[in-house]
Amino acid sequence: MIPTDQSALVVQAREWLAGDPDEQTRAELESLLTSTDPGAVAELADRFSGTLQFGTAGLRGALGAGPNRMNRVVVIKAAAGLARYLLATGAQGPVVIGYDARHNSDVFALDTAEVMTGAGLHALVMPRSLPTPVLAYAVKALDASAGVMVTASHNPPQDNGYKVYLGDGSQIVSPADAEIAKRIAAVDKISSVTRGAPGRTISEDLVDSYLDTVVGLLDEGGARDLTTVYTPLHGVGGDLVQLAMKFAGFPAPNVVKEQERPDPEFPTVAFPNPEEPGAMDRAIALASKKGVDLVIANDPDADRCAAAIPVAGKKWRMLTGDEVGALLATHLIRKGVTGTYAASIVSSSLLGKIAEAAGQTYAETLTGFKWISRAPGLAFGYEEALGYCVDPEHVRDKDGISALLLLCELAASLKAEGRDLADLLDELAVAHGLHATSQLSIRLEDPAQIAAGMQRLRDRPVTALAGSAVLQMDDLALGEGGLPPTDGIRYQLAGGSRVIVRPSGTEPKIKCYLEVVQPVADASALAEAHAGAEIALGALKVDIRAALGL
């Protein structure tokens, strides 16, 4: 039982219960209030320790009762705040609402639609659980004033989230995020929120239109001889990817059967992110058995794309997000796609060299597609976390399905020439130097440690890392290079190497992004360059951790 000295907490919880429309979260909260478990007080206190904050990533958090969790009360308030913002800014057009197959995604989508219609706005709801890029496509295709996607992307199964797009098809940025958050905070009780009809269900024709668009990115009559293994990692990309590959003329992929259907529990992976160790094990095991050319994967909402290539017989190597970004950029340039090629500041500098050599504009943005998508004249954008925008005219966000198709087209065309993706990466290394990237993530449960580590870097100048002199330190909080201010430190090292350190925006971590550049005289020097880069990356990890005092 919650002790009497927690009475203020009990009052908060009882007030929440009185307004919560969800039977499951009410029962969950009642259970905590009557529990004799000593941990119940701490759990209850955490749920009511604050409010899940709405920002440039919308909302994201663990499911459960209380203002510090994702639930129907929080979502209804968020929808009401968004509706008030749209009305205040005179936004025209419907609000398009999509959802994936996570727990409660469909419920949160319905709540959002009813709040929008109750506010006098027109709500259009996706016909079923679908990938995030289909929602991003719909925002532009249907001339919407805004879009909402209920998803937590590649977060663990206990999470869900709420991503907001405005009418330009991009995710929200400042000042819209703060304006929406202010209006959300002004919603007192959800009983004051008017709810209307559940909106209109969008026809499946929209999904067909999306598929036609992504397939249309490929050259007609191009090479299609490519054997693949594919996994949607229990997410919503499976059906659309298989249809897209069929319509494009590729052989049907070998799908990892245990991960083929959407499952919000993600039972075969510890963490449903293809970047995480072990997430791709089943796909790679199937690829070894089948002897295919390429392994491809999406994260659960299919806005990211991952790939692995064969090396030395039946061994496989995951491509980094930077490698896939360089391959896709090279492919698009060779297809004649012109404009701005953009990457986030934590992505490899190789893209800039590829763009310059091709006479294309290069832009560097802050981390996240909310910034990448806004690069003027965008033709292609990517971030190292497996996100790629290959068709900004139609999807102004990362799209794991169109990126997957273009990667398959590139691999098939190389195969027709007797080469593969590894050969093209080697070609790029000889042309521009070997750009090897890696990441060091340091999880710190105490937020004060994160702030202290960042302050230590500012207070104690670093003169060398991994034996290379620090030529320049940029405090990104000052808005260096014309970028909006963000908490981060960037070190430019002799020889072109680079380290960026910043707090994670979604997890209690300090993230260090490392890049080593090794000159390559010719193909015979590649092995030595790779070995040297691996040693240098290891040394950078040791030195930057020491500099952080961690």
Side-chain angles (χ1 to χ4, degrees), residues 463-481:
T463 58
L465 291 167
S468 294
V470 174
L471 301 181
Q472 183 175 323
M473 185 198 93
D474 301 319
D475 188 343
L476 301 176
L478 303 177
E480 292 288 338

Side-chain angles (χ1 to χ4, degrees), residues 214-291:
V214 295
V215 172
L217 296 172
L218 279 60
D219 296 333
E220 288 188 24
R224 295 292 188 268
D225 177 19
L226 187 75
T227 56
T228 57
V229 160
Y230 170 69
T231 176
L233 285 182
H234 300 294
V236 293
D239 289 346
L240 265 62
V241 165
Q242 292 178 73
L243 281 172
M245 292 187 73
K246 177 183 177 181
F247 296 158
F250 291 107
N254 296 280
V255 181
V256 179
K257 292 299 180 186
E258 308 95 316
Q259 300 173 338
E260 185 174 14
R261 305 312 310 162
D263 188 331
E265 290 297 318
F266 307 107
T268 68
V269 292
F271 203 89
N273 180 351
E275 291 182 291
E276 292 291 323
M280 297 286 287
D281 284 357
R282 289 173 186 256
I284 288 173
L286 182 59
S288 297
K289 179 180 177 182
K290 297 289 186 179

